[in-house]
Amino acid sequence: MNDPDAYVEDRSPGIGRLRPRAAFASDLPSIALDGDWRFRLASGLDDLTGDFAAPEFDDAGWDLLAVPSCWQMTGLPGEPRYGTPAYTNILYPFPVDPPRVPRQNPTGEYRREFEVPDGFPAADAVLRFEGVDSAFAVWLNGIRLGDAKGSRLTTEFDVRPALRPGRNVLAVRVHQWSSGSYLEDQDMWWLSGIFRSVSVAARGVEDFFVHAAYDHTTGRGSLAVDVTAATRVSLSVPELGITGADPAGPHVIDGVEPWSDENPRLYAAELVSEAGERIPLRIGFRTVTVVDGVLTVNGRPISLRGVNRHEWHPLTGRTLTEDTMLADVLLMKQHNINAVRTSHYPPDHRFLDLCDEHGLWVFCEGDLETHGFEPGGWRRNPSDDPAWREAYLDRAARLVERDKNHPSVIVWSLGNEAGRGENLAAAAALIRQRDDSRLIHYEGDWASCSYVDLYSRMYMGVDELAAVGRGQEAPTADPADDAHRRSLPFVLCEYGHAMGNGPGGLSEYQQVIETYPRLAGGFIWEWIDHGIARTTERGDSFYAYGGDFGEEIHDGNFVADGLLFPDRTPSPGLVEFKKVIEPLRIHIDSAAQQIAVHNLHHVRASAYLGFRWSVEDGGEPVGSGDLTVPAVAPGATTAVAWPADLAAALDSARKNGSGQEVWLTVTAVLAGDESWAAAGHEIAWGQGLVVPAGSPIPFTPAPATAHDGYLALGPARFDSRTGALVRLGDLELDGPRLDVWRAPIDNDLLNAFGEPQIPAWLAAGLHRMRHEVLGVEPDASGLTVTARLAAAGSSSGLDVVYRWTAFDGPVADRARIRLETTVTPDGAWSVPLPRLGVTMSLPGTDAEVEWFGPGPGEAYRDSRTAARVGRYRSSVSAMQTPYLRPQENGNRHQVRHARITAPGGTLLITGDPVIDLTVRPWSTEALTTATHQHDLVPGGRLHLHLDQAHHGLGSAACGPGPSAASVLAAVPTVFGVEFSTGW
């Protein structure tokens, strides 16, 4: 090779590499090379250190950099020390001219000295890199071992020509951009470096492939292990009575317990070579098949309640510790998630070990995406260019070979958003030839499904999803392809885009998925927000997103679309998803005095759960107890009568209750410890209204009277000119007045498949509506204020009548006033409203809030399944949801009544019968203009929003908008709310 740097732009996956093999542990010695390496960041290919690989090169003046790490993340949360992260979703951050990349190509030069102890089997050693982004070349003791691409794939080199006892010097040159970058456009931060572990390991057994099938008709397991080794190898599985046997078998075992997400049964095994090497195995028996268009494992249909998971940490990027991986797996299991798609590359192999252990179905995805070719009409897309064939086949082979022994992996996914082409078909054929025990997935082939085993789509609407479930989808062009596709299970490989406040409508999707057996479920996009931890000059902490590092092109906060916030705190979206996909449905039938339990598990009976009931009157507990539920078989339903103590508690509540709503809640919790959660962890719950609220007490309206500069109505004082409520008792107030605007959520601002909602709202002037008071009229029974809400330049508006009444009764009642708001649209209203309600403010920067209604977290009309009725307490500050880009948040849905205790006094609010409640320490205007959480500073007043309704959340940032039932149309509306200073 005349140009020593030609490998950077060569389409070849690399030279000098060993054939890929499985990831496995061995008792042979190894030398871990993680730790501090000497490091220099060159600006490009014209700034390289010519002799840096020489063992005698003096690197004392170079920096120290941790390996593994992403070099752009070094220095955080302060200023990045080496370059900066950059985020794009689709576009390449360099000119699209494959396979060429810029000559100004940041290049990390790494050096590491290490000692090889006496007796180390250097003659059988390999150098292993678990992950290097993007292309790299390797020298050991000045001898060039080779080069490689495929950032998230394992690469091994033969070090026998160079490794020696004592001091050794390893030199690695890593390039940020390479021809491989064209295959790695995976909607994430562009980061570089040796970001996974490095080691020198002795190799005895070269490779093995565990084949462990399960026959559900006989209960037998079939086990065979294909071993590649220079010496004889024996297999032992003590629990199955296999000792020192020929691994190839096949061994047929009666009464095997199969592996599944619900029962991740692993059998401890061991391979032992004649040379003395011992390799521990964990074997799971399972068989994946498609039966009559239904995805089955071990003969049972399965439903994927999944998430797409990028590897991410806000301080270290794609470099994760095993503790972080475990945290992800445990959080998934604790939130009823049973499947993960490793978007869009193979994860650290230790993550798959955890999936095996704790039970997650895995779609293991190849390190492939070429989405940046789409804006150019897919011109020169590598997927259909024969010159890239070797790279595609190499990536497919390395995917399968490394992870082939994981029972959790049930599907190989070729990659993501790489268009179409013969290279993808060739990769599928290679995988199928090597491993026909799993299915093959690739969403980009949905039009024909000619080389895949699953019909897969992204962000399909609910109506179309139902049509697919019925087998009534639009036909393909080719009748043969059409027949083949209709025979396949359907998977939503991405749906429920979890960007900002949302996703909405998850319960609608789940209802359809559970209706049609062909629908195998899907994967929420995605697991975690990719925010990067930063601090401002004044020390404020925040999470950065695209554009915060001065990128030339970027896609803003589109990188923050996860169910977890960057610190792995569950978002309201994850709490909602847990409830929507709970594996049991608990239904309370008050008329029949029964509790029905429907088990949605595919293999696990409900015996592992304990059930408990509780009764609350107005949110206050009046009774609780254990509920005996016979074990419910998978797919079955059992109904149990109310136990005597429950019936007694309800009877007491009816006779002696407060007159408020009485609710019965039944929970299902772990009866014992599981590997992923302790006993008592809640799995599912159901709730039913068993005693409705009593009728309101009638009252005689009090008169409104005029005074010098104000109007008096009971304990309330109003501005005589504007009609605004300025005082209630001793509490100073401002408002309420009609409000239709909300700080736009990401699903309002963006739409991947159509026109976003926000342009129509802005064109209608909904963000700049003027509140014009037309009349303030006191009378003998109250106060009437008429007004009009309209935008400058618009002939359409909202006519509003505020009718105030006060209680004319005992002293305790005189503290209560009632507002009835009547809204009448005037003119043409072709756009929905963001919200419809009234807003007001009172002094303070924080307050205690107590409410009776759904909670404890935020909820909206199409994201409220997880909110259960009860009495809750919080502070205003704690009620704010810290979405990375500030937006509408914190709404409490259908509140019956609430108490706000602020420094200036206490305000009580009662819905008629319910009202949505939001309390904030900043205005909607401040929330709208803020770009990060640290931009939000309390302004000295608490802002209350009392809404009759909100426009739905939907998933329009990358998916459908709100369903028709969740669209807030401008129609005549009347809603009421009461205010008081005493409960």
Side-chain angles (χ1 to χ4, degrees), residues 335-495:
H335 287 83
N336 294 329
I337 290 164
N338 73 348
V340 59
R341 176 180 175 225
T342 68
S343 54
H344 299 294
Y345 43 82
D348 188 303
H349 68 88
R350 295 172 295 173
F351 177 77
L352 298 179
D353 291 336
L354 295 168
C355 294
D356 293 342
E357 179 179 349
H358 299 287
L360 288 168
W361 306 119
V362 175
F363 279 38
C364 198
E365 192 148 276
D367 191 10
L368 176 66
E369 180 167 337
T370 66
H371 205 175
F373 286 90
E374 184 182 31
W378 295 106
R379 175 178 172 266
R380 302 174 71 187
N381 182 24
S383 294
D384 205 32
D385 184 345
W388 293 88
R389 178 73 54 88
E390 182 186 1
Y392 274 64
L393 296 181
D394 174 78
R395 288 172 185 251
R398 291 159 72 188
L399 162 73
V400 172
E401 296 302 341
R402 194 198 70 169
D403 297 332
K404 58 183 178 281
N405 294 322
H406 289 283
S408 58
V409 176
I410 59 171
V411 171
W412 299 118
S413 182
L414 300 181
N416 185 69
E417 292 176 324
R420 301 174 188 171
E422 289 302 316
N423 292 339
L424 290 160
L430 180 147
I431 292 174
R432 191 168 280 115
Q433 181 179 15
R434 178 58 171 151
D435 178 21
D436 63 0
S437 69
R438 295 175 171 95
L439 306 182
I440 295 178
H441 167 268
Y442 176 64
E443 183 270 345
D445 188 35
W446 66 266
S448 68
C449 294
S450 59
Y451 50 82
V452 296
D453 302 309
L454 297 166
Y455 176 24
S456 177
R457 294 279 297 278
M458 297 180 179
Y459 307 108
M460 180 181 280
V462 172
D463 292 341
E464 187 179 1
L465 179 65
V468 172
R470 296 189 298 266
Q472 296 175 345
E473 68 266 29
T476 66
D478 184 289
D481 284 344
D482 187 67
H484 171 65
R485 195 179 72 177
R486 291 178 192 277
S487 71
L488 301 180
F490 178 85
V491 170
L492 282 164
C493 68
E494 296 178 20
Y495 81 111

Side-chain angles (χ1 to χ4, degrees), residues 47-90:
D47 183 34
L48 303 180
T49 306
D51 57 349
F52 93 112
E56 64 277 7
F57 177 80
D58 183 5
D59 58 17
W62 285 16
D63 295 337
L64 291 175
L65 179 69
V67 170
S69 70
C70 304
W71 71 58
Q72 292 93 341
M73 302 294 287
T74 305
L76 297 175
E79 287 301 313
R81 188 171 180 183
Y82 306 111
T84 55
Y87 168 63
T88 61
N89 170 30
I90 298 174

